[in-house]
Amino acid sequence: MIRNFAVIFLAILVTGFLNAQSNTLNAKTVAQMNEERPALDNDRPIPYGYIDDRDVLWSKVVWEFIDLNQKINLPYYFPTDTTSVSSDRRSLWHTLYNAVKQGEIGAYDSDLFITTVTEADIEKKLFNTRGTGKFNDEGEEYMDTYVVETEDITGVMIKGIWYFDKRQGELKYRLLGIAPMGADVLTQGKKNINDEGFVKEFFWVFYPAAREILHEAKVFNPKNSMQPISFDHLLNARRFSSVIVKEENIYNNRKIEDYVRGNSLFQLLEADRIKESIRNREMDMWSY
């Protein structure tokens, strides 16, 4: 009896020792695997699905203006003062301009994305020095310097394409370009000039090349600050209010204001007509 108990006790000790050895080896193996295998980063922008030209049954390129004064578009406008917030919160203008200055993305002079512009070319549109007409005792004229700040960026122009994917049987949208817009610095400080009539594009960015940058830049989420949203997600989800300013057409892609002149209401109605025709295109594809 005592001998059997001793044998059982010895077997338990040996089993425990072997399990401890196995756990130690497993822990070392896992540690070595973690050292050899790099950490996977899943925080990446969702890649666009492949689309072949043969799968596109219909398409139309449109240009839209996003007014940053509208409440739904304020996440793209704020913060205007970067000294009062953390470094991970920046406006859309600040994100794009800094990326261009650091050479992370390229800037172009138009939405054709052919001719690139340098930082010096952009700064000419952001800085202006003009004489005041007053002179000091030494005969030197006093100069005023005007600078376009973040709060002066009043809107964003986007270029995108609506297309009907015949394989999936649905209407889709893909962003092609984005351009921050603001008042012309040459008109600042001048009297009897309405700055709203001199809003201009500072530079264009090819959107697919800027997705990584815009994904890393997070937008403040007022409902849950622990779950910020990226600019890339907001733009691809079309979480903004915009107005169509032109569509591709046979008349050199003329703007709506070029053929509907002098009446802002009729221009908005024409923009809504274009938007509605694009929406109805998906339903028309299913007509038999």
Side-chain angles (χ1 to χ4, degrees):
M1 185 74 169
I2 297 176
R3 182 180 299 175
N4 292 339
F5 179 77
V7 172
I8 294 173
F9 181 74
L10 181 60
I12 292 174
L13 290 177
V14 172
T15 304
F17 176 77
L18 293 177
N19 288 337
Q21 288 279 351
S22 177
N23 292 335
T24 302
L25 291 175
N26 290 337
K28 291 182 179 180
T29 304
V30 172
Q32 292 175 356
M33 291 175 61
N34 290 334
E35 290 179 358
E36 295 174 355
R37 181 178 59 187
L40 298 178
D41 184 11
N42 294 324
D43 188 18
R44 301 288 301 277
I46 300 176
Y48 291 139
Y50 174 76
I51 180 72
D52 193 87
D53 293 341
R54 296 173 295 180
D55 300 333
V56 179
L57 195 60
W58 171 89
S59 68
K60 180 179 286 292
V61 178
V62 296
W63 289 257
E64 301 171 80
F65 177 73
I66 302 176
D67 187 357
L68 298 184
N69 291 319
Q70 296 189 23
K71 185 176 181 180
I72 191 175
N73 299 329
L74 291 182
Y76 302 96
Y77 179 73
F78 288 101
T80 57
D81 184 9
T82 58
T83 60
S84 61
V85 296
S86 58
S87 60
D88 59 340
R89 290 181 56 187
R90 292 293 182 266
S91 64
L92 179 61
W93 157 254
H94 192 279
T95 302
L96 290 175
Y97 185 43
N98 274 5
V100 170
K101 289 195 300 183
Q102 296 173 8
E104 297 177 348
I105 55 177
Y108 299 86
D109 64 342
S110 69
D111 54 22
L112 298 177
F113 310 110
I114 298 176
T115 305
T116 59
V117 294
T118 62
E119 181 183 350
D121 297 329
I122 300 175
E123 288 183 352
K124 292 179 181 179
K125 301 179 181 180
L126 303 178
F127 300 91
N128 181 37
T129 303
R130 186 168 57 248
T132 61
K134 299 180 181 180
F135 299 86
N136 58 16
D137 297 336
E138 298 178 356
E140 297 177 350
E141 185 178 11
Y142 291 105
M143 307 296 289
D144 284 340
T145 301
Y146 300 92
V147 182
V148 174
E149 303 289 352
T150 304
E151 57 267 18
D152 298 322
I153 305 301
T154 58
V156 176
M157 186 71 70
I158 59 173
K159 176 184 179 181
I161 180 172
W162 288 95
Y163 64 95
F164 187 83
D165 188 345
K166 67 179 182 180
R167 286 185 177 272
Q168 299 187 11
E170 61 179 332
L171 187 68
K172 296 182 179 181
Y173 176 79
R174 186 165 296 186
L175 261 169
L176 299 178
I178 184 171
M181 301 182 65
D184 191 346
V185 71
L186 297 178
T187 65
Q188 293 186 9
K190 290 187 176 182
K191 299 180 180 180
N192 302 325
I193 290 182
N194 184 9
D195 291 345
E196 295 181 358
F198 294 89
V199 176
K200 63 187 301 182
E201 302 159 357
F202 294 116
F203 57 86
W204 276 91
V205 171
F206 185 58
Y207 187 80
R211 290 196 66 198
E212 290 283 349
I213 301 299
L214 294 177
H215 180 74
E216 294 176 0
K218 305 301 181 181
V219 182
F220 176 73
N221 186 355
K223 296 183 179 180
N224 185 0
S225 59
M226 288 299 296
Q227 296 293 330
I229 309 171
S230 68
F231 282 120
D232 180 66
H233 177 76
L234 285 180
L235 290 168
N236 279 299
R238 292 189 61 84
R239 293 177 60 176
F240 52 79
S241 175
S242 64
V243 177
I244 295 178
V245 296
K246 70 174 179 178
E247 62 174 339
E248 59 176 350
N249 51 69
I250 196 174
Y251 306 104
N252 298 323
N253 292 341
R254 65 180 180 178
K255 297 181 180 180
I256 293 177
E257 62 182 16
D258 293 336
Y259 62 92
V260 182
R261 300 182 178 181
N263 195 318
S264 299
L265 176 59
F266 285 178
Q267 291 175 4
L268 290 175
L269 291 176
E270 175 65 10
D272 287 340
R273 184 197 66 81
I274 296 174
K275 184 181 296 185
E276 194 66 22
S277 65
I278 294 175
R279 290 176 178 174
N280 292 336
R281 177 65 61 172
E282 184 173 20
M283 298 300 299
D284 295 340
M285 291 296 182
W286 290 99
S287 298
Y288 295 95

